[in-house]
Amino acid sequence: DAGVIQSPRHEVTEMGQEVTLRCKPISGHDYLFWYRQTMMRGLELLIYFNNNVPIDDSGMPEDRFSAKMPNASFSTLKIQPSEPRDSAVYFCASTSDNRGTYEQYFGPGTRLTVT
Amino acid sequence: GQQLNQSPQSMFIQEGEDVSMNCTSSSIFNTWLWYKQDPGEGPVLLIALYKAGELTSNGRLTAQFGITRKDSFLNISASIPSDVGIYFCAGQLSGGGADGLTFGKGTHLIIQP
């Protein structure tokens, strides 16, 4: 079975440019999460969706960040305009009800570098 | 917000040794999970715990959900070179449906030759 798929794996961009990260969750999963990992702050939740609807976006840093889930098999995280402090690894994870449990499975991540 | 205190930050051990790491929280969690992350990869789920007091094993790994629901530990027995990596604890608040995970800062496991 395919796991969570993220693209691109690496992204290098200049400050001020728009960046779009993509995620395909595991088929059949109805929850999708975006996390960010930095050395200083570790792994942090940015936003999550249930049945394509955003449930909690309190972790989104600021208005420059936006996330969408137009259908059950695709989500994007967009940063516009990007800044050097956005440099991090961004992970997507998904889950669904498994006999009352919800174990989250992570993608390989997108390493973003903003110069 | 919730914080998880994970210790130790790093461990330098010899191959074959047993390893123990733990997480504590000021808040109650309904689910504890342990993940391992290798360089350049995403976290991989090792063990999930759902009931206070639960003790669960996965091969050489054993984890327990603390009675107070504010702590958990992970033990690795007879460590081998492929155990090297960063281990994260994670807690989930929600008792019904999924919720975002709160992560510890990780334990770096290094096996000395």
Side-chain angles (χ1 to χ4, degrees), chain A residues 9 35 37 91 101 103-104 107, chain B residues 35 37 40 42-43 50 98-99 101:
Chain A
R9 291 295 309 273
Y35 293 88
Q37 185 176 37
F91 289 103
T101 68
E103 298 163 359
Q104 294 185 25
Chain B
Y35 287 85
Q37 186 176 26
Y50 296 98
D99 198 355
L101 297 176

Side-chain angles (χ1 to χ4, degrees), chain B residues 2-108:
Chain B
Q2 298 83 25
Q3 286 189 338
L4 293 185
N5 298 308
Q6 187 171 348
S7 65
Q9 277 190 310
S10 58
M11 301 184 72
F12 295 81
I13 64 168
Q14 303 282 342
E15 183 178 349
E17 287 186 21
D18 296 343
V19 171
S20 184
M21 60 192 78
N22 68 83
C23 265
T24 61
S25 170
S26 57
S27 304
I28 289 174
F29 285 99
N30 287 307
T31 303
W32 283 91
L33 305 104
W34 286 91
Y35 287 85
K36 177 176 183 275
Q37 186 176 26
D38 292 327
E41 301 296 329
V44 174
L45 182 64
L46 300 174
I47 290 181
L49 302 155
Y50 296 98
K51 296 180 182 178
E54 178 182 358
L55 184 70
T56 297
S57 293
N58 178 9
R60 293 179 297 105
L61 279 59
T62 301
Q64 183 155 30
F65 191 147
I67 291 290
T68 64
R69 292 197 284 159
K70 293 184 178 181
D71 63 308
S72 177
F73 72 74
L74 174 71
N75 288 340
I76 305 172
S77 63
S79 58
I80 60 177
S82 61
D83 291 335
V84 167
I86 306 176
Y87 292 80
F88 292 97
C89 62
Q92 181 171 257
L93 279 172
S94 174
D99 198 355
L101 297 176
T102 300
F103 281 86
K105 291 295 177 69
T107 295
H108 292 240

